[in-house]
């Protein structure tokens, strides 16, 4: 893991700790689950906005099946510093009625199918509903 990713990971853990949420490492070996919060599975995704232009993709086979207990912890990094933790319920990725979650199915090569999250000044405002302090009751 790169140093910036480690900083983002420590930031996420610190923010969860401040909210009195205990996070543990996933010992089950299930791909796509980096951490556990109780029975909730957490897929950790740092997002360096200094290098990402418009979007990033999570391979569907890495994330696994979307369900009520699977969340994406998205940590935004701006100017080399982690700034915000978003907790996105995985099932939200299925919502095609928004400007930032896109389902990319690649029928000829299913292993390349992915969930895309578009990042822009508009979508950052819309992502605010997934900010950690707004999602505490879901964890």
């Amino acid at each position: 893991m790169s140093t910036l990713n480690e900083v983002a990971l420590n930031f996420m853990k610190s923010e969860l700790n401040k909210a009195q949420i205990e996070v543990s490492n996933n010992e089950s070996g299930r791909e796509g689950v980096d951490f556990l919060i109780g029975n909730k599975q957490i897929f950790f995704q740092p997002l360096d906005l200094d290098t990402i232009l418009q979007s990033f993709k999570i391979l569907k086979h890495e994330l696994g099946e979307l369900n009520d207990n699977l969340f994406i912890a998205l940590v935004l990094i701006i100017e080399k510093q982690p700034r915000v933790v978003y907790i996105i319920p995985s099932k939200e990725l299925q919502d095609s009625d928004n400007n930032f979650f896109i389902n990319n199915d690649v029928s000829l090569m299913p292993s390349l199918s992915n969930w895309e999250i578009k990042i822009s000044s508009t979508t950052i405002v819309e992502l605010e509903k997934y900010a950690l302090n707004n999602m505490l009751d879901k964890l």
Side-chain angles (χ1 to χ4, degrees):
M1 186 180 295
S2 76
T3 303
L4 196 53
N5 287 354
E6 289 173 6
V7 170
L9 178 59
N10 289 335
F11 177 77
M12 179 196 75
K13 288 181 175 180
S14 171
E15 293 297 299
L16 288 167
N17 190 34
K18 286 180 198 173
Q20 298 181 342
I21 295 176
E22 186 176 327
V23 62
S24 59
N25 291 327
N26 176 31
E27 303 295 333
S28 74
R30 181 205 178 285
E31 189 175 12
V33 176
D34 299 307
F35 303 98
L36 301 172
I37 296 174
N39 68 342
K40 309 291 192 227
Q41 302 171 338
I42 307 298
F43 180 90
F44 172 70
Q45 180 67 53
L47 181 59
D48 186 352
L49 293 183
D50 298 330
T51 61
I52 300 292
L53 296 178
Q54 296 177 350
S55 68
F56 72 96
K57 298 175 182 178
I58 301 171
L59 293 174
K60 288 185 177 182
H61 71 85
E62 286 182 2
L63 186 60
E65 187 173 332
L66 307 182
N67 64 65
D68 292 330
N69 288 329
L70 178 60
F71 294 81
I72 300 160
L74 180 63
V75 177
L76 293 189
I77 301 166
I78 303 168
E79 298 175 351
K80 308 267 186 255
Q81 293 297 315
R83 307 285 181 174
V84 183
V85 176
Y86 296 110
I87 304 293
I88 303 170
S90 66
K91 284 196 165 184
E92 294 285 318
L93 296 175
Q94 295 174 331
D95 182 8
S96 60
D97 278 346
N98 63 48
N99 297 322
F100 47 96
F101 299 141
I102 299 167
N103 179 3
N104 293 316
D105 280 320
V106 182
S107 58
L108 294 177
M109 294 190 71
S111 64
L112 297 179
S113 293
N114 61 74
W115 299 106
E116 184 174 2
I117 300 179
K118 287 200 172 252
I119 303 298
S120 69
S121 57
T122 304
T123 59
I124 290 289
V125 172
E126 293 179 46
L127 277 173
E128 186 59 31
K129 69 181 174 183
Y130 301 112
L132 177 60
N133 60 339
N134 295 331
M135 296 297 293
L136 292 175
D137 63 327
K138 305 275 192 244
L139 298 175

